[in-house]
Amino acid sequence: QVHLVESGGGLVQPGGSLRVSCTISGFSLDSYAVGWFRQAPGKGRQGVSFISNGDGSTTYSDAVRGRFTVSSDKAKHTVYLQMNSLKLEDTAVYYCAARRWPGTLNPLMYDYWGKGTLVTVSS
């Protein structure tokens, strides 16, 4: 059975950094892409990044490119999203999701989802 569990959210000041994690079970990172998505209050869910270990590709949305980095540790069954230079508008619930390779930033294309972790950027 496929499970994804996010962790690492919290409160951070503008300009600060935070790393959120997605621990997976029930599937292999070699054949699945894992995406990161976020949903701010009153807004729809948007794609942030994904990693496809099948071909080593990573992708970022325009809003986070250059500030966020996605990576994975197969031995720990975990995918990370390192977030630097955080802005107020990065405040959202962050979700990870999985689908068969290849990856996409379209949340409608993902089959399995975690429950999310809240990231709040505030002074």
Side-chain angles (χ1 to χ4, degrees):
Q1 193 171 4
V2 173
H3 283 292
L4 301 97
V5 179
E6 302 91 340
S7 61
L11 175 64
V12 61
Q13 292 185 339
S17 297
L18 198 65
R19 188 179 75 167
V20 291
S21 303
C22 174
T23 303
I24 65 104
S25 61
F27 66 95
S28 170
L29 288 174
D30 286 331
S31 54
Y32 277 72
V34 174
W36 283 99
F37 301 85
R38 66 186 183 185
Q39 188 164 15
K43 295 188 177 181
R45 194 167 296 187
Q46 59 176 216
V48 173
S49 179
F50 73 80
I51 183 166
S52 285
N53 284 290
D55 64 356
S57 63
T58 58
T59 297
Y60 301 92
S61 68
D62 291 342
V64 308
R65 189 175 296 113
R67 301 187 296 123
F68 290 12
T69 303
V70 63
S71 63
S72 64
D73 185 331
K74 293 181 184 180
K76 294 184 177 181
H77 306 288
T78 301
V79 176
Y80 304 99
L81 184 69
Q82 176 67 43
M83 304 182 289
N84 299 329
S85 302
L86 283 161
K87 305 176 181 180
L88 296 175
E89 53 264 40
D90 293 320
T91 295
V93 177
Y94 283 72
Y95 300 89
C96 61
R99 71 181 301 269
R100 287 277 186 182
W101 178 87
T104 171
L105 288 178
N106 183 352
L108 298 177
M109 302 299 289
Y110 282 77
D111 303 303
Y112 306 101
W113 290 83
K115 294 184 178 181
T117 185
L118 176 63
V119 173
T120 303
V121 184
S122 175
S123 55

